[in-house]
Amino acid sequence: DAGVIQSPRHEVTEMGQEVTLRCKPISGHDYLFWYRQTMMRGLELLIYFNNNVPIDDSGMPEDRFSAKMPNASFSTLKIQPSEPRDSAVYFCASTPDRASGNTIYFGEGSWLTVV
Amino acid sequence: GQSLEQPSEVTAVEGAIVQINCTYQTSGFYGLSWYQQHDGGAPTFLSYNALDGLEETGRFSSFLSRSDSYGYLLLQELQMKDSASYFCAVRASTDSWGKFQFGAGTQVVVTP
């Protein structure tokens, strides 16, 4: 089975530009998560969805960040405008349902550098 | 709020046993998970403990003591490929269901 698929794998962009990260969760998984990982702050939950509905976005750092899940097989995380402090690895992850929800399946990550 | 503490780094030789401790403070508690992450890779699930006791999966075991708010991951018969970061993660029962919090990670370095 295909795992969680993220794109792009690497992105270098200039400060002020819009960045869109994309994610395809594992088919049949009801929950989708966006995490950010940095050396300073570790692995942080930004937002998660259940059946395409945002449930908790309390980790979204500020209004420059937005996430959508228009259907069960696709989600985006957008940063506009981007800033150097947004440089991080952004992971998308999914899990089937509450019963098996203690296992989170991560994608390979999108490595973002904002210069 | 939640907080998790785990050592930043552990070094051991091949064949040895390593124990990575994790202490947590949460408002309510569902369970403790462990993830492994190799450099440049994605975190991958290792184990989950909801009840007190030891769970064994091959060379890796995980333990939980709810009364002590403490758990550990035991890596046995260390191999070079076990060099990675290991994260504990908790979910507080007072938070929204999917809100896992991860520890800062323990870098395990396995030497020949």
Side-chain angles (χ1 to χ4, degrees):
Chain A
D1 288 340
V4 176
I5 299 172
Q6 294 186 243
S7 65
R9 290 296 315 278
H10 299 271
E11 173 133 355
V12 180
T13 191
E14 292 185 345
M15 183 173 62
Q17 296 299 304
E18 178 178 293
V19 173
T20 299
L21 308 178
R22 298 172 177 79
C23 175
K24 177 179 169 54
I26 296 172
S27 177
H29 283 198
D30 292 341
Y31 289 85
L32 181 140
F33 306 84
W34 282 101
Y35 282 88
R36 176 173 69 175
Q37 187 174 37
T38 61
M39 287 296 293
M40 290 297 295
R41 300 176 66 88
L43 200 57
E44 306 173 274
L45 177 67
L46 300 178
I47 184 172
Y48 79 93
F49 296 81
N50 175 217
N51 291 324
N52 315 337
V53 176
I55 302 300
D56 190 326
D57 65 355
S58 58
M60 294 286 264
E62 51 198 90
D63 291 345
R64 297 185 298 106
F65 286 68
S66 62
K68 294 182 180 179
M69 192 165 185
N71 58 62
S73 59
F74 184 67
S75 176
T76 60
L77 178 68
K78 187 172 293 187
I79 308 171
Q80 166 63 20
S82 58
E83 297 182 3
R85 60 190 167 129
D86 301 330
S87 298
V89 185
Y90 291 82
F91 287 103
C92 178
S94 67
T95 195
D97 49 41
R98 286 200 176 211
S100 50
N102 297 302
T103 304
I104 303 174
Y105 300 84
F106 285 81
E108 292 299 313
S110 292
W111 295 66
L112 175 65
T113 303
V114 183
V115 297
Chain B
Q2 307 170 48
S3 68
L4 296 99
E5 289 195 16
Q6 51 181 129
S8 59
E9 185 171 319
V10 174
T11 300
V13 297
E14 269 187 299
I17 298 173
V18 159
Q19 180 173 314
I20 304 169
N21 299 321
C22 176
T23 57
Y24 59 86
Q25 287 187 314
T26 64
S27 304
F29 177 77
Y30 276 127
L32 184 70
S33 302
W34 289 93
Y35 285 78
Q36 177 193 60
Q37 185 180 28
H38 287 100
D39 279 350
T44 56
F45 174 82
L46 291 177
S47 68
Y48 173 73
N49 295 68
L51 302 175
D52 287 356
L54 190 69
E55 296 279 344
E56 298 181 72
T57 309
R59 295 186 296 112
F60 294 179
S61 303
S62 57
F63 172 82
L64 176 66
S65 169
R66 296 174 68 110
S67 60
D68 295 324
S69 297
Y70 163 77
Y72 66 72
L73 180 69
L74 195 70
L75 315 181
Q76 302 181 77
E77 301 172 22
L78 273 179
Q79 301 177 8
M80 296 298 292
K81 67 178 181 180
D82 298 329
S83 291
S85 291
Y86 293 83
F87 297 87
C88 57
V90 297
R91 188 174 69 236
S93 58
T94 54
D95 282 338
S96 59
W97 178 86
K99 196 168 183 178
F100 290 85
Q101 178 164 341
F102 284 76
T106 298
Q107 178 77 38
V108 172
V109 178
V110 182
T111 60

